[in-house]
Each structure stands twice: as structure tokens, then as C-alpha cells.
Amino acid sequence: MIIIPAKYSSSRAPQKNFRPFYNGLSLLQISVIRSVTADIGPVLVSTENIDFAREQINPLPAAVKKSVSLHKRPLSLAHDPATILDVLVDCLLTSNTNLPNYISVVLPTSPFNSVSSIQNAHEKFISTANAEKLISVSPSSKPPYNAWVDAPSTDPDRLEHAFPDSPYALRQSTSCPMTYFSNGCISIYSVAPLLTDKQFNSTIGYKMPILSGIDIDFEHEFDTARLLFPDWSEDLNLFTS
């Protein structure tokens, strides 16, 4: 099963999941088409605005629509401090389907995903012994060892090194080890620990290109991703017919 969390309310980029993004398709519609095309299981969209989501699913091809179901998310899970894990637990406990052994998550706000990445991440998870969680990651463009934080003082302009004791503090990026950040394209969770305590003993990574790390939170990120998408999407053909 693939769950697509599609929150309608967003203070920083209003309705970002539902607005036209490419060729008249929204981020939600693009993630639905990809998830269905990946063909690794049924697709469930979780949203607090189920009527608006239905309006977006209905125009999609029949072969896509028949593989998608909608889940009404409680309003309490559509705002902070609710987490993705809270949303997943709600979907599992309130859906009418039998509990799967694991579930996959595809975030609409990470548009530089691809069908092949969803499939390959799935294959890696099921073929890795004892894996309980998989996250897709992209290389960090800047080493975290060079980060600064506000100093605990009354001077608002004073900064301190975030990692002063690291041997890589303030070194050139080429001299630092490669680091990665979760890019939101795909994550996979074993259901048993998810429903027990949301703690996972073994997390593996699925490495993706740095461009896959573009995650849309703000308006300028939405606009930037729209400009890049036609030239850099790996499966653009899915959305141009």
C-alpha cells in the first residue's frame, strides 16, 4: 500500500498540493499517477478536504482512478504538531482493509520523485533482512559541520558553531564526509513497530540525486520547482499526454 498525505491547509504555500503545477496537473495528481504506475499496491490519499481531493482524482484516467481510494483525515491531524507517523497510524486503524506488513509513503511536495525510484526503493526494502524503515535521501549541498546557531546570550547578532567539537568544523566541503538528508520522495515503514511505539530498530536509506531533495514548503520553492520540472523530471512522459 502507498499512502499519499495531501494536506489541504498550508500557511506558507496555501493549497500547494492542489494547485496546477505542470500541464494542468497538481502535485497531488502527479504523485497519484506515479504511485499507481509504480504498481506496488493500492494507493490511499489522506486529506482533511476529501471533496476537493475527489475533484482532483475524478478527471484522471480510469486506469488510475480505480486504484485510488480517499481517506478522511481528522482536522486535528492536519496541523502541527501532528506528524506523518500520526497520519499513517490513523489511516491504518480506520481503514477497512486488512493491515499490511509495511506501508509506503509518497509526498506530493517532493516533485522530483519518479516511478523507478518508488519501485527500486520498494525492492530494496523487501530484500533487506530485518529492515523496519526506509527513507529516501539526497546528498547535502553544504556540510552540516559548517552550520552556525544563535549563541545563548543577550546579543542577537552573536553566533556559535553548531558542531564546535567536530573534526570537520568549518572545513572545506570537499574535505568533509558525504552527508545526506531525508528528501521526502518515499519512505517505507513496517506496520508492527509503527502501531506499537513508532520506534524502528533498523533504518536503511535509498539514495537519490541532489535535485530530488527539492521539497516545497514556500511559494518560491513552488515556483522554482515548476520552472525546473519540464527539464529535470525523470518521468515527464507520464504527465504530457
Side-chain angles (χ1 to χ4, degrees), residues 151-170:
S153 70
T154 57
D155 183 356
D157 296 323
R158 185 182 166 201
L159 299 175
E160 290 184 351
H161 302 322
F163 304 101
D165 299 325
S166 170
Y168 304 105
L170 301 183

Side-chain angles (χ1 to χ4, degrees), residues 41-223:
V43 176
L44 180 69
V45 175
S46 169
T47 180
E48 79 277 22
N49 194 329
I50 202 165
D51 292 332
F52 207 96
R54 186 176 290 111
E55 290 179 7
Q56 297 233 323
I57 300 302
N58 283 339
L60 298 179
V64 173
K65 284 194 298 184
K66 70 178 184 180
S67 299
V68 181
S69 56
L70 301 177
H71 177 266
K72 177 74 171 179
R73 184 192 304 191
L75 288 177
S76 61
L77 297 182
H79 306 281
D80 294 336
T83 67
I84 286 292
L85 297 186
D86 295 328
V87 171
L88 300 183
V89 170
D90 173 69
C91 288
L92 290 169
L93 295 182
T94 59
S95 66
N96 295 322
T97 59
N98 295 327
L99 291 178
N101 292 326
Y102 58 89
I103 54 173
S104 303
V105 180
V106 171
L107 296 184
T109 51
S110 296
F112 293 95
N113 202 346
S114 68
V115 170
S116 61
S117 290
I118 295 171
Q119 293 172 329
N120 292 338
H122 172 260
E123 290 297 324
K124 182 172 185 176
F125 181 81
I126 63 176
S127 64
T128 302
N130 302 318
E132 293 186 347
K133 176 180 175 181
L134 176 145
I135 57 173
S136 59
V137 297
S138 292
S140 304
S141 59
K142 296 179 176 59
Y145 316 103
N146 292 348
W148 297 78
V149 295
D150 289 323
S153 70
T154 57
D155 183 356
D157 296 323
R158 185 182 166 201
L159 299 175
E160 290 184 351
H161 302 322
F163 304 101
D165 299 325
S166 170
Y168 304 105
L170 301 183
R171 289 177 58 175
Q172 291 181 326
S173 59
T174 53
S175 302
C176 297
M178 181 66 71
T179 58
Y180 302 88
F181 65 94
S182 176
N183 62 26
C185 286
I186 182 168
S187 53
I188 305 176
Y189 304 89
S190 292
V191 166
L194 175 62
L195 294 181
T196 302
D197 56 10
K198 302 177 185 174
Q199 300 296 317
F200 305 92
N201 293 323
S202 176
T203 298
I204 60 175
Y206 177 73
K207 296 176 182 178
M208 299 177 67
I210 193 168
L211 190 68
S212 300
I214 294 179
D215 178 60
I216 298 173
D217 285 319
F218 298 94
E219 287 290 346
H220 73 276
E221 292 169 332
F222 188 94
D223 292 340

